[in-house]
Amino acid sequence: VQLQASGGGLVQVGGSLRLSCAASGSSLRINGVSWYRQAPGKQRELVATISSGGTTNYADSLKGRFTISRDNAKNTVYLQMNSLEPEDTAVYYCKAYGFSDFRYFDSWGQGTQVTVSS
């Protein structure tokens, strides 16, 4: 299973970006998907998760600004990021687990850079 993260870029403070994480594989059944981020010199941290049923969870500090959603028909999960701050600058990674051809997978995407300029 391959995960392709995209949508990152350079944005000014207060701007918005929408990240996408597209999964490809055979006979996919994606259960949970998470977005993580890692800023320079810091540990990777969990941003948001979404279950197969659409239940979402967010890091407390990001509630209200970030929204995770999924399009099951496209095997794609999105992260809408609003009111961006310089502290949101990081490489954003998606992670998904589920089944492909009835075999369990747990995979990471390659990351997409988000830079918020002040």
Side-chain angles (χ1 to χ4, degrees):
V1 175
Q2 290 191 328
L3 300 179
Q4 181 70 43
S6 62
L10 176 64
V11 64
Q12 291 187 329
V13 169
S16 298
L17 282 174
R18 188 178 81 155
L19 307 183
S20 299
C21 176
S24 59
S26 179
S27 300
L28 279 178
R29 192 182 84 187
I30 301 171
N31 291 352
V33 181
S34 301
W35 282 99
Y36 289 77
R37 68 183 184 183
Q38 187 166 19
K42 295 188 177 181
Q43 288 188 332
R44 192 171 297 190
E45 64 175 350
L46 179 64
V47 173
T49 64
I50 187 166
S51 72
S52 58
T55 300
T56 59
N57 284 287
Y58 299 91
D60 287 342
S61 61
L62 301 175
K63 286 180 181 178
R65 293 195 299 122
F66 288 16
T67 303
I68 189 170
S69 61
R70 63 190 292 165
D71 184 335
N72 291 331
K74 296 181 179 179
N75 289 325
T76 300
V77 169
Y78 305 98
L79 184 69
Q80 178 68 43
M81 305 186 295
N82 299 327
S83 302
L84 285 164
E85 304 167 353
E87 294 73 24
D88 296 318
T89 295
V91 178
Y92 285 70
Y93 300 89
C94 59
K95 181 179 182 294
Y97 68 93
F99 294 87
S100 176
D101 286 334
F102 303 102
R103 287 179 289 188
Y104 180 81
F105 74 89
D106 190 341
S107 301
W108 288 89
Q110 85 286 5
T112 184
Q113 176 71 48
V114 171
T115 303
V116 184
S117 66
S118 56

